[in-house]
Amino acid sequence: MDDLEKYVGALVGVIWLIVKIAIARGALQTKRAERAAARSGDADVARSATQVAPRSDTVPVDVAPPSAAPWAAVPFGAPRAPDADRLRTVLLRLTELDQCAAAFGEAVRHERANRRFTDVLLGAVPHDIGRLRAAVDAGLTAREAEAAADHIELVVSEIAALARQRRDPSLLPELGDADALADACYAPVIAFARAEGLPLRSGSPATQLTEFDLAIWTGFIPTSIAPIFLPVDFFSTPLRWPALAHEIGHDFLASVAGLEPALRRELGLPDGGEQLRPPASNGDRAGAPELRRLFGAWFEEIFCDVFGTLMFGPAYVLTMSELFFQEDEPVASLAVQTDPTGTRYDAHPPPHLRVLIGCMVLDRGGLHEDARALREAWARRHAEVSLDDLLVPARGTWRPFPLSPFAGMAAWIVERLYAGPLTSLSGFGLQDISGLDYGPHERQEASRARDALLAGRVPAVRDARALLAGAVLAAHQAPAQSLSILIRARAAIPALGTSEQRPDAFAPGLSMSSVALDRRALTEALLFRAVLLPPRALRSRRRARL
């Protein structure tokens, strides 16, 4: 009976999510088509995706691809054609998809904004089509073949949607800036995976403006492209931009084969999707097994919050504080939520615990003053409620449990993820991934960006992460200027897929005559040179070999 309930609950959740996203996606496509037609006098841009993907009603969601849930595509009780006819139809669809992907791939390879999709259309898609044809010849059932063909068509359809938005001249600069930030977040992960030989299967994030919440489609990983869905207000405030790092964390965790299960084993956490059961109390305190069960459900989100805080420092925690707080219902920050089916714990920890976890990462990185200020500001916002308990659903009501054991378990997980050693990360912790952590240099760059933005200038800061971290800090100090602050921050980012250059790209270089060199600076430079040079014996040996 439990298995049946799991099956039905999962099925209902997936179908409902697909229906909601289909409605939102259809509305957005209609608006984009109308705007493109009004601007250019025709609807060619709006129709380009449907010419590439015959079934444009297929919608990507942040769940497993259709091959994992083939029953969702088949109406219950519908008459079925004989398997041989259905397989012939699948093969015809594959031929059309192959031709469509080839033509589309040849088109986008000549487009600066879309050439990143060439390998998927001319490599991954034909490869998957060939494998599916071979599987059909080897006896694959019609049901399995249809599900696999649906997934290939879904990939082509999503690539078409990504390309269509980048053909919109009003959207390209915005998406290019978001892509540049996503690439900056992913760069340390790619370098670390290459250095350590980790099987990273994704590495090309591509943002897409949608009418639903910020999310990443991890089911797209085998193609190497990582579609990131942006909400409609993404380009009106800098507050949502640090959350891109959170989504990159999801993709990192899912795209390295076996990473998440290995981390769970090392931390002693069960798989996610735990059934909704009230924790057994021990003097009104949750016991260790119950805590591990809850943190098993929350592990992926905790990992991504640690990852995001390492990427953006205080700006990431500030983003969580601003977006999570509900002024009309502050007690919601303490509630342990359930998933849409109501039968399992939600994957997201309570907002209060997530903000505390971010502050723990800041404390671990030495940013004690920032962590203290953020905790105090969060507490002031919740002056009407007690932050000493979390509210856990139990038999139709909310039951308070002391925060301290939850905070203790969270601190232990943060320490292990931050410092390691973790066998699944080659014996390292996240702090050891070069370029990932928010160190003194990044903090100084973010402060420079904040000061320039508050002064009404475009920052002379090159790191996209530091730019947006500074924009969040500036918007926090001057909320009424959020949009203008974001515009100036984006002006310092060369958008991917465009010919944009940094504002100072062609400025005259710094003259040596303007650099003040005193005796102390010269002495330090000579000392550093002496320290960094290899020993004299090695230098002599090297010259002898030359």
Side-chain angles (χ1 to χ4, degrees):
M1 193 66 181
D2 289 342
D3 291 340
L4 180 59
E5 291 176 354
K6 290 181 182 178
Y7 176 87
V8 173
L11 177 59
V12 170
V14 168
I15 294 177
W16 176 235
L17 185 58
I18 290 175
V19 169
K20 288 201 304 183
I21 296 178
I23 294 171
R25 178 75 172 275
L28 180 65
Q29 288 180 339
T30 301
K31 291 179 183 178
R32 292 298 175 201
E34 291 172 353
R35 189 171 75 174
R39 184 170 55 249
S40 62
D42 57 54
D44 290 344
V45 174
R47 289 196 302 265
S48 61
T50 56
Q51 293 170 352
V52 172
R55 294 178 59 187
S56 60
D57 58 330
T58 307
V59 180
V61 295
D62 192 15
V63 294
S67 57
W71 56 82
V74 181
F76 291 104
R80 311 304 297 269
D83 275 8
D85 292 342
R86 291 166 62 192
L87 287 173
R88 277 194 292 272
T89 301
V90 168
L91 292 175
L92 287 174
R93 283 178 61 194
L94 293 180
T95 299
E96 294 175 359
L97 278 173
D98 201 5
Q99 295 171 351
C100 187
F104 191 27
E106 288 299 328
V108 300
R109 73 188 304 172
H110 302 294
E111 300 174 12
R112 181 201 293 261
N114 290 318
R115 63 179 56 143
R116 75 178 75 182
F117 308 129
T118 303
D119 289 342
V120 177
L121 294 167
L122 300 183
V125 169
H127 178 263
D128 288 347
I129 289 175
R131 289 182 59 189
L132 181 52
R133 282 175 173 152
V136 169
D137 292 340
L140 191 69
T141 67
R143 185 186 185 89
E144 294 169 334
E146 287 167 344
D150 286 343
H151 178 54
I152 296 173
E153 191 168 336
L154 187 63
V155 169
V156 177
S157 176
E158 174 59 14
I159 294 295
L162 292 168
R164 183 177 66 251
Q165 288 199 355
R166 282 159 178 77
R167 289 171 175 169
D168 185 332
S170 67
L171 274 180
L172 176 57
E174 295 179 338
L175 296 177
D177 288 339
D179 287 344
L181 179 61
D183 273 5
C185 292
Y186 224 122
V189 171
I190 294 173
F192 178 75
R194 287 175 178 169
E196 298 301 323
L198 298 179
L200 186 68
R201 297 172 293 166
S202 180
S204 297
T207 55
Q208 177 182 355
L209 194 63
T210 65
E211 290 194 345
F212 41 92
D213 288 338
L214 188 69
I216 193 166
W217 187 10
T218 55
F220 222 72
I221 282 173
T223 68
S224 80
I225 300 294
I228 301 176
F229 307 138
L230 308 178
V232 290
D233 64 341
F234 188 81
F235 295 103
S236 61
T237 172
L239 280 178
R240 290 189 176 272
W241 287 64
L244 280 177
H246 180 96
E247 302 307 324
I248 296 297
H250 278 294
D251 198 68
F252 174 39
L253 195 60
S255 65
V256 176
L259 177 58
E260 183 180 352
L263 286 173
R264 288 181 178 275
R265 285 194 299 271
E266 290 193 66
L267 298 174
L269 299 177
D271 291 338
E274 284 293 319
Q275 283 190 327
L276 186 63
R277 289 180 291 172
S281 62
N282 180 15
D284 289 328
R285 297 173 68 90
E290 286 74 22
L291 284 176
R292 290 190 178 276
R293 184 158 51 84
L294 273 168
F295 277 87
W298 298 337
F299 170 70
E300 185 174 348
E301 295 299 325
I302 291 174
F303 177 93
C304 296
D305 282 339
V306 172
F307 188 92
T309 308
L310 278 167
M311 280 276 178
F312 281 92
Y316 182 85
V317 184
L318 186 59
T319 291
M320 289 197 293
S321 302
E322 294 290 338
L323 297 179
F324 292 166
F325 177 66
Q326 299 182 32
E327 189 171 2
D328 57 341
E329 194 178 5
V331 73
S333 297
L334 309 175
V336 175
Q337 300 292 346
T338 61
D339 71 356
T341 69
T343 60
R344 286 172 170 76
Y345 291 110
D346 188 69
H348 299 81
H352 180 43
L353 189 60
R354 295 182 68 179
V355 170
L356 290 183
I357 286 171
C359 292
M360 291 173 189
V361 177
L362 296 180
D363 270 325
R364 189 59 180 80
L367 303 176
H368 305 296
E369 287 301 314
D370 292 304
R372 180 189 57 78
L374 287 163
R375 279 193 297 264
E376 291 177 353
W378 179 253
R380 285 194 298 271
R381 283 188 157 190
H382 294 81
E384 300 177 3
V385 299
S386 170
L387 294 179
D388 296 330
D389 297 315
L390 293 183
L391 302 178
V392 181
R395 299 181 179 89
T397 186
W398 295 98
R399 180 178 175 184
F401 278 84
L403 173 67
S404 55
F406 292 90
M409 175 69 79
W412 179 79
I413 293 175
V414 166
E415 176 64 23
R416 288 298 311 277
L417 291 176
Y418 184 92
L422 295 166
T423 305
S424 46
L425 287 177
S426 301
F428 297 107
L430 291 177
Q431 68 165 348
D432 301 309
I433 298 180
S434 179
L436 178 63
D437 64 320
Y438 186 89
H441 173 73
E442 288 75 19
R443 189 174 190 275
Q444 184 62 30
E445 289 289 274
S447 298
R448 289 177 56 209
R450 176 202 61 200
D451 295 342
L453 292 167
L454 288 174
R457 302 193 309 271
V458 174
V461 174
R462 297 182 181 275
D463 183 358
R465 289 162 48 192
L467 277 167
L468 268 302
V472 170
L473 299 176
H476 178 64
Q477 293 187 24
Q481 302 177 34
S482 289
L483 180 57
S484 60
I485 286 172
L486 177 59
I487 291 173
R488 286 193 292 271
R490 287 183 47 218
I493 303 174
L496 288 187
T498 71
S499 57
E500 288 183 4
Q501 301 287 338
R502 287 183 48 81
D504 59 351
F506 302 104
L510 186 64
S511 172
M512 287 300 297
S513 61
S514 63
V515 179
L517 289 177
D518 56 18
R519 183 183 182 89
R520 180 179 177 182
L522 195 56
T523 303
E524 288 181 353
L526 291 172
L527 285 173
F528 272 120
R529 180 179 183 276
V531 169
L532 296 175
L533 278 175
R536 186 183 299 274
L538 290 179
R539 280 182 279 158
S540 301
R541 207 173 300 162
R542 187 177 301 167
R543 283 196 297 267
R545 284 199 301 268
L546 293 175

